[in-house]
């Protein structure tokens, strides 16, 4: 894409960041509740591990790390981005976007990146605070792992955006969209490994989950950070993320073309 | 070729018919029933570059539907449109770059960031060169009096402020074509005036083609030389505003205030064909007459023959009355411009 074109979208990302900054208060509340949630999950797992060496192949130290990484990966594209896209469709303001010389999907992705920057930043702070109080985290020692991890987080954003975007566009088809949003969240949480590591699943479910895009969102970054995947394996996992990111992006394009037809035929 | 050109343009919607109540909703779920609602009948429209056109008609006439088709956000059921040589529906992005649009009911500004930030985002979206952007922003801020609220977010603006900001937003990239769907809805007189002056100036300075829908007849009289009236989806008049006035507003009214009551004059006037007397009280009355039968001076001199006239004022052909008569179906305008 030529530079001038990119500038449009960089600008959109910037404004989106400004926009969420104006919701400072609700952000504080959201992150407080996230932190409390994290604490709850932490103690839940502490209880499960009580006296046990490993659960499903994870040591307690690994599990603690898993929880923190999950928290980070989950927060970079959260509730706000989610509701912003489906909200546009539900309240009909998508017509305003149709009047602009911008690509809807790229614009939404830029907005998401803008907010992810903030959300990622805040969760990192929470995580650093947390890690002061928790001992024995399984932190990787090689810089390469951190680089791969950062890449996998970007991949996770791309894949999660793809899933969120497709789900949001489904709202064109059914106006009672909160159902779609909730279903999507439940599916993503379960199949990405956000609830429990995929390794805890029965064999058939784990195999299925690994074939689906959702695992790229949580499973992949945790595998890399916990060094459960070697360098080559990590690169392969990131490759899979790229594949899903691209596939979902293209699916999003098709779906958008369909959605635009709905709007322009039936009226926004 | 005209800058806006539509041929046989029409639009019909499928409207769901649901019987009332839960039973109706359930029934609709299994056997959905739809009726076809024709919002715009096949119509032809040509607008020349630099024209200002008022597109009026009663509620539900099909004005917004037409504008939406012209802007490319609604797909026509049939017919063709060319706006500056572009089919707005097929080349939506290209078309979007050359038009500005304000839908009075909706805003294109970001809710939670300052108006200036929304503007500078538009600068990047439309790739407006810095000097053009700067000049426009300064000029618009001054003309629309936006200084006091340009640093607020759209959420905090009053309706009139938001509308001014929206209008500026639609014009920052100097579009050759501007569509306004009810740009003065719900605004006070002074803001309306500002907006009208602004549109007029932009039209004169940049030859921007303006097409606006409105229910405010002041907008039409102030801004538009050409009037298109649409009713039930068909164009029933397309011509100049002054022509519609002179052709259809034949009625003129003169209000008199006289020194002493003039019973014999009242008798006389009531019996004159083509004149109508309306008495407010002993010393105040009005005479309405057909301007093609009598001149104003004839009427006045007749009254003056009977005694002293303290004051009089004349009410001229009023577009409001004409359009009302058309809406009410009391006036049959010949189809024109087909
Ligand atoms: N999305 C839609 N689905 C079904 N019917 C619609 C839709 N949009 C408009 N209509 C119908 O089309 C007709 C014309 O509507 P339109 O909005 O063009 O009227 P209008 O002239 O703009 O009226 P107003 O002055 O009230 O704004 C109306 O009868 C309306 O009910
Ligand atoms: Mg309308």
């Amino acid at each position: 894409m030529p530079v001038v074109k990119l500038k449009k979208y960089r600008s959109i990302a910037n404004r989106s960041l400004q926009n969420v900054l104006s919701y400072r208060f609700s952000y504080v509340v959201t992150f407080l509740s996230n932190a409390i949630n994290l604490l709850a999950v932490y103690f839940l797992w502490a209880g499960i591990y009580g006296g046990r060496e490993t659960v499903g192949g994870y040591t307690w130290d690994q599990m603690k790390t898993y929880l923190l990484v999950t928290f980070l990966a989950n927060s970079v594209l959260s509730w706000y981005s989610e509701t912003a896209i489906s909200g546009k469709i539900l309240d009909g303001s998508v017509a305003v976007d149709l009047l602009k010389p911008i690509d809807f999907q790229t614009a939404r992705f830029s907005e998401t990146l803008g907010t992810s920057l903030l959300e990622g930043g805040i969760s990192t702070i929470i995580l650093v605070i947390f890690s002061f109080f928790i001992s024995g985290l399984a932190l990787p020692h090689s810089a390469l792992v951190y680089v791969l991890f950062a890449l996998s987080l970007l991949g996770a954003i791309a894949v999660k955006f793809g899933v969120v975007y497709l789900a949001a566009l489904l709202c064109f088809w059914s106006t009672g969209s909160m159902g779609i949003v909730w279903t999507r969240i439940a599916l993503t949480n379960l199949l990405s490994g956000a609830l429990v590591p995929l390794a805890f699943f029965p064999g058939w479910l784990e195999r299925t989950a690994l074939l689906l895009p959702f695992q790229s969102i949580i499973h992949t970054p945790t595998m890399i950070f916990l060094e459960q995947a070697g360098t080559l394996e990590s690169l392969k996992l990131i490759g899979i993320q790229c594949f899903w990111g691209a596939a979902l992006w293209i699916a999003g394009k098709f779906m958008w073309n369909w959605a635009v037809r709905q709007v322009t035929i039936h009226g926004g | 070729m005209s800058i806006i050109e539509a041929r046989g343009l029409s639009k019909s919607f499928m409207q769901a018919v649901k019987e009332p109540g839960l039973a109706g909703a359930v029934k609709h779920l299994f056997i959905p029933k739809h009726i076809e609602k024709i919002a715009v009948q096949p119509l032809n429209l040509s607008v020349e570059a630099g024209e200002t056109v008022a597109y009026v008609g009663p509620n539900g006439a099909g004005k917004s539907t037409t504008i939406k088709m012209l802007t490319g956000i609604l797909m026509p059921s049939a017919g063709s449109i060319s706006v500056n040589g572009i089919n707005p529906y097929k080349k939506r992005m290209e078309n979007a770059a050359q038009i500005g649009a304000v839908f009075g009911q909706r805003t294109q500004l970001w809710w939670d960031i300052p108006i200036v930030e929304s503007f500078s985002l538009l600068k990047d979206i439309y790739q407006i060169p810095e000097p053009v952007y700067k000049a426009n922003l300064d000029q618009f801020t001054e003309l629309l009096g936006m200084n006091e609220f340009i640093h607020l977010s759209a959420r905090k603006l009053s309706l009139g402020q938001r509308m001014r900001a929206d209008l500026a937003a639609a014009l920052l990239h100097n579009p050759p074509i501007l569509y306004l769907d009810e740009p003065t809805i719900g605004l006070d007189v002074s803001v309306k005036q500002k907006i009208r002056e602004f549109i007029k100036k932009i039209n004169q300075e940049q030859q921007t083609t303006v097409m606006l829908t409105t229910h405010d007849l002041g907008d039409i009289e102030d801004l538009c030389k050409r009037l298109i009236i649409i009713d039930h989806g068909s164009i029933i008049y397309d011509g100049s505003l002054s022509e519609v006035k002179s052709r259809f507003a034949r009625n003129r009214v003169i209000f008199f205030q006289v020194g002493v009551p003039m019973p014999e004059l009242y008798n006389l006037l009531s019996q004159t064909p083509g004149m109508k007397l309306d008495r407010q009280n002993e010393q105040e009355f009005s005479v309405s007459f057909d301007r093609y039968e009598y001149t104003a001076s004839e009427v006045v001199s007749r009254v003056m023959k009977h005694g002293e006239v303290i004051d009089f004022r004349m009410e001229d052909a009023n577009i409001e009355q004409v359009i009302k008569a058309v809406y009410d179906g009391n006036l049959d305008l010949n189809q024109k411009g087909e």
Side-chain angles (χ1 to χ4, degrees):
Chain A
M1 217 185 290
V3 184
V4 264
K5 281 228 173 114
L6 264 179
K7 195 168 171 210
K8 290 186 190 184
Y9 298 105
R10 212 183 58 212
S11 211
I12 292 176
N14 172 304
R15 294 315 179 286
S16 152
L17 181 56
Q18 288 189 29
N19 206 40
V20 290
L21 278 174
S22 76
Y23 290 117
R24 281 175 301 260
F25 180 70
S26 69
Y27 260 83
V28 171
V29 173
T30 311
F31 276 92
L32 266 181
S33 81
N34 282 354
I36 292 170
N37 211 19
L38 182 59
L39 262 182
V41 175
Y42 178 85
F43 287 120
L44 178 71
W45 282 103
I48 294 174
Y49 270 91
R52 253 175 276 191
E53 271 297 301
T54 61
V55 175
Y58 282 74
T59 65
W60 174 223
D61 284 349
Q62 279 180 320
M63 187 47 113
K64 282 187 277 192
T65 316
Y66 187 93
L67 293 180
L68 297 193
V69 173
T70 301
F71 179 76
L72 180 64
N74 238 352
S75 67
V76 285
L77 197 161
S78 71
W79 185 241
Y80 173 79
S81 326
E82 181 110 48
T83 42
I85 300 178
S86 49
K88 257 186 189 305
I89 289 156
L90 290 176
D91 70 11
S93 56
V94 62
V96 174
D97 289 283
L98 290 178
L99 283 169
K100 295 265 144 54
I102 39 173
D103 177 62
F104 187 79
Q105 193 172 9
T106 316
R108 297 295 82 75
F109 186 59
S110 315
E111 275 174 18
T112 302
L113 282 183
T115 48
S116 290
L117 215 62
L118 180 78
E119 293 168 331
I122 301 182
S123 355
T124 310
I125 296 173
I126 295 188
L127 286 182
V128 169
I129 297 173
F130 243 82
S131 56
F132 280 131
F133 296 100
I134 299 172
S135 58
L137 285 178
L139 298 180
H141 296 290
S142 133
L144 178 65
V145 174
Y146 286 96
V147 173
L148 290 172
F149 176 66
L151 285 178
S152 75
L153 274 186
L154 286 181
I157 293 181
V159 174
K160 193 164 177 190
F161 173 78
V163 173
V164 166
Y165 185 70
L166 283 175
L169 289 186
L170 271 182
C171 296
F172 275 110
W173 165 67
S174 136
T175 33
S177 87
M178 277 338 255
I180 294 176
V181 172
W182 290 118
T183 311
R184 191 207 65 61
I185 292 177
L187 268 181
T188 315
N189 277 344
L190 181 69
L191 295 175
S192 66
L195 241 37
V196 289
L198 296 188
F200 287 24
F201 284 170
W204 63 271
L205 188 56
E206 184 185 356
R207 280 190 299 277
T208 316
L210 287 175
L211 290 177
L212 294 174
F214 304 101
Q215 52 99 14
S216 288
I217 301 171
I218 304 286
H219 179 68
T220 299
T222 55
M223 287 282 281
I224 294 176
F225 197 80
L226 290 175
E227 294 177 277
Q228 289 166 332
T231 307
L232 212 65
E233 173 76 7
S234 301
L235 286 174
K236 197 183 118 196
L237 286 175
I238 293 174
I240 293 176
Q241 285 185 319
C242 292
F243 164 76
W244 279 121
L248 291 171
W249 183 267
I250 292 166
K253 279 239 172 307
F254 278 105
M255 183 107 172
W256 169 246
N257 287 341
W258 168 82
V260 163
R261 280 185 67 82
Q262 304 309 305
V263 188
T264 54
I265 290 177
H266 300 303
Chain B
M1 200 162 108
S2 318
I3 194 161
I4 301 175
E5 183 96 45
R7 290 276 156 265
L9 182 64
S10 72
K11 179 73 194 176
S12 47
F13 292 105
M14 295 308 282
Q15 286 177 339
V17 225
K18 286 183 197 167
E19 285 161 37
L22 182 62
V26 171
K27 196 171 155 202
H28 185 78
L29 194 62
F30 293 105
I31 322 159
K33 249 188 13 209
H34 294 275
I35 49 160
E36 197 183 19
K37 162 85 199 174
I38 302 175
V40 174
Q41 313 256 14
L43 57 80
N44 298 330
L45 193 70
S46 318
V47 178
E48 302 304 322
E51 264 192 307
T52 45
V53 179
Y55 194 53
V56 304
N59 288 131
K63 302 180 295 295
S64 298
T65 306
T66 313
I67 300 279
K68 282 181 188 163
M69 287 193 284
L70 294 178
T71 53
I73 58 175
L74 203 55
M75 186 167 104
S77 300
S80 67
I81 312 178
S82 146
V83 176
N84 225 352
I86 293 174
N87 178 332
Y89 177 70
K90 293 233 169 78
K91 303 228 155 117
R92 198 162 32 76
M93 294 252 260
E94 266 176 61
N95 182 58
Q98 59 161 5
I99 65 166
V102 177
F103 289 88
Q105 326 265 19
R106 201 157 259 164
T107 181
Q108 60 160 310
L109 305 162
W110 284 55
W111 265 123
D112 294 297
I113 60 176
I115 302 296
V116 266
E117 293 290 329
S118 283
F119 286 172
S120 71
L121 174 59
L122 291 173
K123 173 187 148 213
D124 290 335
I125 286 181
Y126 288 101
Q127 296 164 23
I128 309 169
E130 180 69 34
V132 177
Y133 172 74
K134 185 102 191 30
N136 279 351
L137 184 63
D138 289 347
Q139 194 198 13
F140 295 178
T141 307
E142 195 198 315
L143 288 175
L144 290 168
M146 295 194 295
N147 251 325
E148 45 169 323
F149 58 81
I150 199 160
H151 295 287
L152 296 178
S153 58
R155 180 186 295 285
K156 294 181 183 142
L157 299 192
S158 76
L159 180 62
Q161 293 170 332
R162 204 214 76 209
M163 203 73 93
R164 280 181 273 170
D166 255 311
L167 189 59
L171 284 163
L172 280 172
H173 58 293
N174 291 341
I177 301 149
L178 175 65
Y179 300 103
L180 304 165
D181 194 358
E182 307 198 36
T184 55
I185 188 166
L187 306 188
D188 74 39
V189 187
S190 91
V191 172
K192 268 183 194 166
Q193 200 51 43
K194 269 209 183 82
I195 285 187
R196 288 175 192 159
E197 295 290 320
F198 179 72
I199 298 171
K200 220 189 284 186
K201 196 165 162 97
I202 295 293
N203 167 256
Q204 277 160 8
E205 282 179 2
Q206 313 194 0
Q207 269 65 58
T208 309
T209 310
V210 181
M211 184 155 177
L212 82 106
T213 79
T214 183
H215 290 291
D216 187 314
L217 300 152
D219 289 349
I220 308 174
E221 289 204 85
D222 265 18
L223 285 174
C224 302
K225 296 201 181 66
R226 179 164 160 206
L227 179 67
I228 299 178
I229 305 179
I230 180 174
D231 193 10
H232 292 108
S234 315
I235 291 180
I236 53 175
Y237 178 80
D238 181 353
S240 78
L241 179 62
S242 53
E243 191 188 321
V244 79
K245 272 191 188 173
S246 62
R247 263 173 69 193
F248 304 109
R250 303 172 65 118
N251 230 34
R252 231 170 209 188
V253 186
I254 304 182
F255 295 85
F256 290 96
Q257 192 187 354
V258 291
V260 287
M262 306 171 178
E264 64 285 20
L265 172 73
Y266 302 153
N267 265 333
L268 197 71
L269 284 178
S270 330
Q271 280 152 26
T272 317
M275 285 197 199
K276 199 171 143 283
L277 175 74
D278 193 8
R279 286 172 60 179
Q280 272 83 46
N281 55 46
E282 284 301 301
Q283 288 162 26
E284 281 175 15
F285 59 93
S286 66
V287 182
S288 50
F289 58 97
D290 184 331
R291 56 190 280 193
Y292 294 132
E293 278 181 61
Y294 302 96
T295 65
S297 64
E298 265 178 273
V299 178
V300 174
S301 67
R302 265 186 212 213
V303 174
M304 300 226 295
K305 261 185 228 150
H306 286 84
E308 188 200 358
V309 171
I310 298 175
D311 195 12
F312 73 90
R313 92 192 133 81
M314 186 164 78
E315 213 162 74
D316 208 359
N318 188 336
I319 186 67
E320 196 148 345
Q321 293 157 358
V322 181
I323 290 182
K324 188 171 173 304
V326 176
Y327 290 0
D328 293 345
N330 296 336
L331 203 58
D332 191 20
L333 302 176
N334 294 334
Q335 212 115 326
K336 249 200 85 186
E338 289 288 297

